[in-house]
Amino acid sequence: MSSPIEDYALLSDLETAAMVGRDGSIDWLCLPRFDSPACMAALLGTRANGFWRVAPRAGGRCTRRAYRRDTLVLETEWRSGRDAVRLTDFMPPRTQSPCVVRVVEGVSGSVHMRSELRPRFHQGRVVPWIRDAESGTVAVAGPDAVWLHADGPVYLPDRQDPTVLDFTVQAGQRLALTLVWSPSHLPGAPASLSVPAETALKETSDFWRGWTARCCYEGPWRDAVVRSLITLKALIYAPTGGIVAAPTTSLPGCIGGERNWDHRFCWLRDSALTLSCLLRSGYRDEATAWLNWLMRAIAGDPAQLQTVYGVGGQRLLHETEASWLPGYERSRPVRFGNSAEGQFQLDVYGEVLDALCLSLRAGIPMPPRVWSVVEALMGHLVRHWREPDQGLWQVRGPGRQFVHSKVMAWVAADRALRMGESLGRNGSSGQWRALRDEVHREVCREGWDARQGSFVQSYGSSALDASTLLIPRLGFLPARDERVRGTVRAVRRLNHGGFVRRYGAADHGVHAVDGLRGREGTFVACTLWYADALAATGHPGQAREVFERALAIRNDVGLLAEQWDPDAGRQLGNAPQAFSHIALVETAFALSSGPSPSRRSPAASGRR
C-alpha cells in the first residue's frame, strides 16, 4: 500500500520533480520533464512499478526530516539508540542532464545502509536492461537511460543485481549516490556524473537561498510564505516559463474513486494566478518568462484557445488510462494526459486578459503583438460569451451557464478597457464597455438567488459554489455590498469539518454537476478564499482562525495537496498543488495588510 500523500516531500530541478517518502523511497519521478513518462511509479502502484530507496537496512520511517532553511534540499534522519544517519536529497537546478543526488552521512555510531534502485520506464511498465559500466551502473529501455554512480566503497548483496548496494557509514563518514538521466543513444556516461556531490550541494543551496532572499513578504507567516513560493518556483519549467499545476497524476480526490486527473501541465488559470502571486512577492523574472510562454502558447485563432497546454506550449494532451497500474490505494483509473484541452471554458478569456493587464500595470515588458491578442480574444468573447461552458471546475457533464464564467467574461472586458486606456488604444472601447455592463446586469439578475440571499453556481440553480467568494477580489462587486456579504454567509453551508467544499456533496453517489461517482475532500484553496472573503467583509478574527486551520494541515515539510479530508485527517489529490500554495501566499498578504480594496487579481485555478 502507498504511503499517505502527506508523507511525500518534493525535489525539483526546475524541469522535473521527484516525490520522496518518509521511508527514504523516491516513488515518483518523470524524466527528463514534468510531463515525461514516469520511470518510478510506485506512488501509483507497487514497488514493481519503480522506486529508489536509500535508508538503513533495518528499514522504517525516518525519525525527523526537514528542508534546509530557504532551500529545496531535503534532510532525512534515522536514529536508533546511539546510531544515527542523515540522508540529504536534492536535484541540482538543470545545467546539464537531470540528476538526483543522495548524500548519506553518519551522524553517530555505525549504520548499515542499503540503496535499492528499481527503474521502470514508460509509466512504471518497462523493465530496463541493466549493465555495469566504468562510471557505475546503467539501465536502458527505449529512448531512456539512467546511470547510477557511488563515490565511495559499496558491495553487492546479490552479484546478479547491480542496482542493490550495501554500505556502512560511521560517524563523520559520507557517501554520495548520483542518478543521472540521458538519452539512451548517446555514448558514454553523462557529464553530470563527474560533478562532485559537495560542489552540487553547495551550488544548489546557494541557488535557492539567493532566490528566496528576493521575497518581499515580511509578515507573521514568512516561513510558510517562503516555503510556498519555493514550491511554486519548483513547479516552473525553466526552459519555457510554463508552470505546471502539480508534479503528479491520478492522486485521488476520493480514495478508491475515479476523480483522478493528470496535473503535470500548464493551466492558464493556475498560471495566471501564479503570475499575480510571484509579482506581489517580488519575482519579476518568473512573471516575464511566463508571459512570454503565454504569448507563444495562445498564438493562433482565439477560437482555439485552450484551458491547458504542455510545458512547451504543446496543445495535444491526449488522455489515456494506464491499465497496468493499480492506482493509489486502488483508486482507478490512472490517467496520463488530460482531455480538458478540448473543453470550452469561458472564464479562461478573463484569466488571460487579467494576467496581461496585471503585467502591464507592473511594468513587465509587453510582447509586440499583445494588443492584437487582446483584440482577437475580445472579438471572440463578444460573439460567444452567452454560450454554456464547463466552468472553472472543468466538469465533464453538460455545459452550464456558470456564474463564475460570466463574472470572468466581465473581468475580460474590464481589463481590456483598462489596458486600452493605458496604451491609448480605444477603438473598440464602446463595444467592450457595453459588453461589460450587459454581463454585470445579467449576472446580478440570473446568478442571484433572493431566497438564499446569495450568488449561486449557475443560472437557474440553487447550488452554492465557493467560486462566488471571488466576486469582491475580482472587483465585480465591492466587499461592502450586501450581496457579497450574503454570499459569504451562505457559503458557510459548504463547510465540512472547518474546511470548505468547492460545491455541494453528491446525492445518491453521483454528482449532478460533474457526473462523477463518489464524494471528495474539501478544497484547500476554497478554504483560503473563504478566509480572504471573511477579512474583506470585516471579520479579521474569523479569517485568521480559518487561515491558521489551513496552515495546520500542511505536512511536516510545509506542503499542501489539492484537498483535505477532515474525517480521515489526510491530504487528497495531486501534490504539491500549485493553487493551494498560491492561495496560501495570497491570504497571508491579505491578512498581514489588513482590510484592503479589491486586488484585481486573476481568479482561482479550476480543477479537473
Side-chain angles (χ1 to χ4, degrees), residues 11 20 197 242 266 546:
L11 307 177
V20 189
C266 305
V546 174

Side-chain angles (χ1 to χ4, degrees), residues 2 27-28 41-46 49 249-251 325-328 334 336:
S2 302
D27 290 344
W28 182 254
L43 182 64
L44 300 178
T46 69
N49 299 117
T249 178
S250 299
L251 292 182
L325 287 171
Y328 180 87
V334 172
F336 295 101

Side-chain angles (χ1 to χ4, degrees), residues 189-201:
S192 298
L193 280 183
S194 63
V195 178
E198 293 304 318
T199 299
L201 177 57

Side-chain angles (χ1 to χ4, degrees), residues 15 27 46 53 71 78 85 95 141 214 240 289 375 400 432 440 479 540 585:
E15 296 191 34
D27 290 344
T46 69
R53 183 171 180 266
T71 77
W78 288 264
V85 65
T95 56
R214 292 157 47 198
T240 65
E375 291 183 313
R400 299 181 181 224
W432 296 350
H440 200 279
V585 174

Side-chain angles (χ1 to χ4, degrees), residues 517-539:
R517 295 185 298 274
R519 58 187 289 275
E520 62 181 2
T522 60
F523 270 60
V524 175
C526 294
T527 302
L528 292 163
W529 304 341
Y530 182 56
D532 272 7
L534 285 171
T537 53
H539 304 282

Side-chain angles (χ1 to χ4, degrees), residues 217-231:
Y217 176 83
E218 295 295 343
W221 299 287
R222 181 174 171 81
D223 286 348
V225 167
V226 168
R227 179 52 52 196
S228 288
L229 289 171
I230 289 173
T231 303

Side-chain angles (χ1 to χ4, degrees), residues 63-200:
T63 51
R64 188 196 76 87
R65 68 173 181 173
Y67 287 114
R68 290 189 179 182
R69 186 173 180 82
D70 293 346
T71 77
L72 203 64
V73 175
L74 180 69
E75 293 185 338
T76 304
E77 293 185 4
W78 288 264
R79 289 184 176 272
S80 178
R82 297 180 178 178
D83 301 325
V85 65
R86 179 184 303 118
L87 173 66
T88 301
D89 289 331
F90 62 99
M91 297 180 71
R94 190 79 62 88
T95 56
Q96 301 179 39
S97 302
C99 68
V100 181
V101 182
R102 317 194 75 178
V103 180
V104 181
E105 300 175 84
V107 176
S108 62
S110 176
V111 182
H112 302 295
M113 299 291 294
R114 171 165 289 179
S115 166
E116 185 175 1
L117 173 66
R118 292 284 186 266
R120 296 293 184 266
F121 294 101
H122 189 60
Q123 319 289 30
R125 189 179 192 181
V126 175
V127 179
W129 290 349
I130 297 173
R131 62 180 174 83
D132 285 325
E134 183 176 345
S135 298
T137 299
V138 59
V140 175
D144 302 295
V146 292
W147 297 71
L148 176 63
H149 172 72
D151 69 355
V154 297
Y155 63 92
L156 305 179
D158 180 354
R159 291 288 177 183
Q160 303 303 311
D161 188 353
T163 61
V164 178
L165 308 176
D166 283 356
F167 53 97
T168 300
V169 288
Q170 312 286 343
Q173 290 183 332
R174 58 163 296 288
L175 183 140
L177 300 164
T178 302
L179 184 76
V180 181
W181 176 91
S182 70
S184 60
H185 66 275
L186 295 182
S192 298
L193 280 183
S194 63
V195 178
E198 293 304 318
T199 299

